[in-house]
Amino acid sequence: MKEYIKDLADTNLFSGITPNEISGLLDCVHAKLVDYEKDEFILEEGNRTYDFGIILSGRARAIKWDSTDRVIIITLLQKGSEIGVILAASLDHKSPVSVQAQEKVSILLIPFDYLLARCKKSCPCHERLLRNYINIVAEKGLLLHERMNCLLKPTVREKIMTYLMRVSCEKQSLDFVLPFNRNGMAEYLNVERSALSRELSNMKKDKVIDYNKNSFRLL
Amino acid sequence: MKEYIKDLADTNLFSGITPNEISGLLDCVHAKLVDYEKDEFILEEGNRTYDFGIILSGRARAIKWDSTDRVIIITLLQKGSEIGVILAASLDHKSPVSVQAQEKVSILLIPFDYLLARCKKSCPCHERLLRNYINIVAEKGLLLHERMNCLLKPTVREKIMTYLMRVSCEKQSLDFVLPFNRNGMAEYLNVERSALSRELSNMKKDKVIDYNKNSFRLL
DNA sequence: AATCTTTTGTTGCTTGCGCAACGAAAAGCG
DNA sequence: CGCTTTTCGTTGCGCAAGCAACAAAAGATT
């Protein structure tokens, strides 16, 4: 586990905590390492879990299925992303989503109860850990709001624009590369892939955007 | 403020804390009372706030607007409901929703920073307060997931069914009364009111549900 | 280089549903 | 009670977008 401590210092959960302290904390909260193979499920909708995790390496996606078994991407997760944060802190611990590894994934698992339990040494960093956790849960909630801002739009074009403008805003540039291919983008925006392609073409024709492959530009 | 302490003991935030302790805590976290008139905005989308609130009396709704200025109801809030919990705990404190009073509303406001700050007396109840807060943020996140489960459905009928089954589940009964009128229900499910009425009629005709006014029954 | 697989774009068909307009019922009010 | 206002159901129209099928392009594999 030692080899990850430097990476952990850069995560939101351990922000403001020194590598030395992290090392102590990991014991204190009974952290453990778990690996997953590509396509394996880290979490399954409806299942109960009492731990949350941090991705140490690899990428994953949080998904749901609609009634016709079509995949809907809720969030993309990468190195440093937290998994099951809301879930672990909830009351009945029933997962609202499934999380699937998109490649080999290593995860640091932490039981929520140990996070809450103040350690015997009552170190100030444990305090900080808790505060970081609260921030993370809140940010996850905001992410869902962002998500809804797309879904709520009545037309495909508006869904696309809402999403593109958000990414553009995050990247602070009118040019950017999306983390999705067409299919993934459709699953994220919850529209038909062909309908998405069609509308992207129209938008290019109307000169509101330009793109090729996953590289986009707002005009 | 004293007159509300008994009510506060029943809220999620103060769960497990005695009225006596609550009384002390309120000073400790610099809680203050604020009143709002009907239709007044308690929170406005995009604005920054560093406090969260608990409704002491009255009802409110969290809403967004789509591009055509149609209202979309995110959550209904009533006595005991928390307002701005995710917001206060977030990093940039920019509200993702507007919250509007639906009648005269009284709110207990608490600055998030004082919630985090451990009081000088370092009372154990402050500890409990923090844990309760984490639970609440998580539950708010789950609420958004529930919300999405409706929005993600491709057809109006499925949106309706998803919502009705959730309420039925909560109420533990196939008969229940919705907190919405038709218009509100449409705003919640993000569909046209007339389309909603039409589909409700069809579903009654198909004998999958029965209803009149806001009283529904699943068949 | 040849073959197979995956990813995109395109396009006709069909339909669910947004929209607007209207009437009836219910509720609020002087 | 009569009048106004709000709520609710119904219906015709038109279009956005889901669906399916296909072809072209891009990668992957041997």
Side-chain angles (χ1 to χ4, degrees):
Chain A
M1 204 174 305
K2 296 300 172 196
E3 73 258 36
Y4 288 118
I5 289 189
K6 228 172 148 188
D7 287 337
L8 285 175
D10 290 332
T11 61
N12 294 321
L13 185 64
F14 292 103
S15 142
I17 303 180
T18 68
N20 243 345
E21 294 171 319
I22 293 177
S23 183
L25 269 179
L26 290 183
D27 291 335
C28 181
V29 298
H30 292 63
K32 51 182 176 288
L33 277 180
V34 191
D35 289 330
Y36 294 89
E37 294 302 318
K38 175 169 154 61
D39 293 336
E40 202 176 344
F41 282 94
I42 301 168
L43 222 62
E44 286 186 76
E45 189 173 348
N47 282 7
R48 283 178 213 278
T49 321
Y50 299 83
D51 308 338
F52 67 96
I54 296 182
I55 298 187
L56 297 170
S57 68
R59 291 176 309 123
R61 50 180 208 174
I63 57 180
K64 285 182 194 278
W65 287 274
D66 76 357
S67 43
T68 64
D69 280 336
R70 218 171 44 192
V71 166
I72 300 148
I73 297 178
I74 306 296
T75 331
L76 290 184
L77 304 161
Q78 48 186 326
K79 181 177 164 182
S81 297
E82 306 86 3
I83 295 181
V85 171
I86 293 180
L87 173 60
S90 72
L91 292 178
D92 75 344
H93 296 275
K94 248 177 158 173
S95 180
V97 293
S98 298
V99 178
Q100 187 178 33
Q102 293 192 279
E103 51 197 57
K104 237 174 175 302
V105 167
S106 293
I107 292 183
L108 184 80
L109 263 196
I110 298 179
F112 182 67
D113 282 343
Y114 285 113
L115 185 87
L116 282 188
R118 339 220 69 259
C119 51
K120 300 94 199 168
K121 319 149 199 161
S122 74
C123 49
C125 51
H126 201 138
E127 183 88 14
R128 176 65 190 253
L129 196 64
L130 256 180
R131 289 178 48 177
N132 286 344
Y133 194 89
I134 294 186
N135 278 330
I136 293 169
V137 187
E139 290 298 321
K140 290 285 180 183
L142 286 185
L143 221 63
L144 291 178
H145 269 290
E146 299 273 14
R147 194 78 192 62
M148 284 189 28
N149 284 340
C150 284
L151 296 177
L152 290 171
K153 302 295 174 184
T155 67
V156 171
R157 178 177 291 218
E158 285 187 84
K159 282 180 216 271
I160 296 173
M161 275 309 283
T162 305
Y163 175 60
L164 292 184
M165 287 176 66
R166 180 165 97 233
V167 177
S168 164
C169 210
E170 284 168 6
K171 298 278 176 65
Q172 304 271 18
S173 162
L174 295 177
D175 294 282
F176 46 87
V177 178
L178 296 186
F180 294 117
N181 59 20
R182 279 304 115 79
N183 205 24
M185 191 172 169
E187 287 171 354
Y188 184 80
L189 297 179
N190 197 27
V191 298
E192 257 293 311
R193 185 195 57 82
S194 70
L196 172 62
S197 269
R198 182 194 297 157
E199 196 56 35
L200 283 175
S201 288
N202 292 338
M203 293 170 75
K204 184 189 272 190
K205 203 183 304 164
D206 294 348
K207 304 234 181 278
V208 297
I209 63 170
D210 195 16
Y211 65 93
N212 86 41
K213 289 219 36 153
N214 301 339
S215 303
F216 283 76
R217 159 174 302 182
L218 295 182
L219 303 177
Chain B
M1 205 175 304
K2 297 300 173 197
E3 73 260 34
Y4 288 117
I5 288 189
K6 229 172 148 188
D7 287 337
L8 286 174
D10 290 331
T11 61
N12 293 322
L13 185 64
F14 291 102
S15 141
I17 304 180
T18 67
N20 241 346
E21 294 171 320
I22 293 177
S23 184
L25 270 179
L26 290 184
D27 290 336
C28 182
V29 297
H30 293 63
K32 51 183 177 285
L33 277 181
V34 191
D35 290 329
Y36 294 89
E37 295 302 318
K38 176 168 156 55
D39 292 335
E40 201 176 345
F41 283 93
I42 301 168
L43 222 63
E44 285 186 78
E45 189 172 348
N47 283 6
R48 283 178 213 278
T49 322
Y50 299 84
D51 308 338
F52 67 97
I54 295 182
I55 298 188
L56 298 171
S57 69
R59 290 177 309 123
R61 51 181 209 175
I63 56 180
K64 286 181 194 281
W65 287 271
D66 78 356
S67 42
T68 64
D69 279 336
R70 217 170 45 190
V71 166
I72 299 148
I73 297 178
I74 306 296
T75 331
L76 290 183
L77 305 161
Q78 48 185 326
K79 180 177 165 182
S81 297
E82 306 85 4
I83 295 181
V85 171
I86 293 180
L87 173 60
S90 71
L91 292 177
D92 73 345
H93 296 274
K94 247 177 160 173
S95 180
V97 292
S98 298
V99 177
Q100 186 179 33
Q102 293 192 279
E103 50 197 57
K104 235 173 176 302
V105 167
S106 292
I107 291 183
L108 184 79
L109 263 196
I110 298 179
F112 182 66
D113 282 343
Y114 284 113
L115 184 87
L116 283 187
R118 340 220 68 261
C119 51
K120 298 95 199 167
K121 319 147 201 162
S122 73
C123 49
C125 51
H126 202 138
E127 183 88 13
R128 176 65 190 253
L129 197 65
L130 254 179
R131 290 178 48 179
N132 286 344
Y133 194 89
I134 294 186
N135 278 330
I136 292 170
V137 186
E139 291 297 322
K140 291 284 180 185
L142 286 185
L143 220 65
L144 291 178
H145 270 289
E146 298 274 15
R147 195 76 191 64
M148 284 189 29
N149 284 339
C150 285
L151 297 176
L152 290 171
K153 302 295 173 184
T155 66
V156 171
R157 178 177 292 218
E158 284 189 84
K159 282 180 215 271
I160 296 173
M161 274 309 282
T162 304
Y163 174 61
L164 292 184
M165 288 176 65
R166 181 165 96 232
V167 177
S168 162
C169 210
E170 284 168 6
K171 298 278 176 66
Q172 304 272 16
S173 163
L174 295 177
D175 294 281
F176 46 87
V177 177
L178 296 185
F180 293 118
N181 59 19
R182 278 305 115 79
N183 207 22
M185 190 173 169
E187 285 171 356
Y188 184 80
L189 297 179
N190 198 26
V191 297
E192 257 292 314
R193 184 195 58 81
S194 69
L196 172 62
S197 271
R198 184 194 297 158
E199 197 55 35
L200 283 175
S201 288
N202 292 340
M203 293 170 76
K204 184 189 272 190
K205 204 183 303 162
D206 294 349
K207 304 234 183 276
V208 297
I209 64 171
D210 195 16
Y211 64 92
N212 86 41
K213 289 222 35 154
N214 301 340
S215 303
F216 283 76
R217 159 176 300 184
L218 294 182
L219 302 177

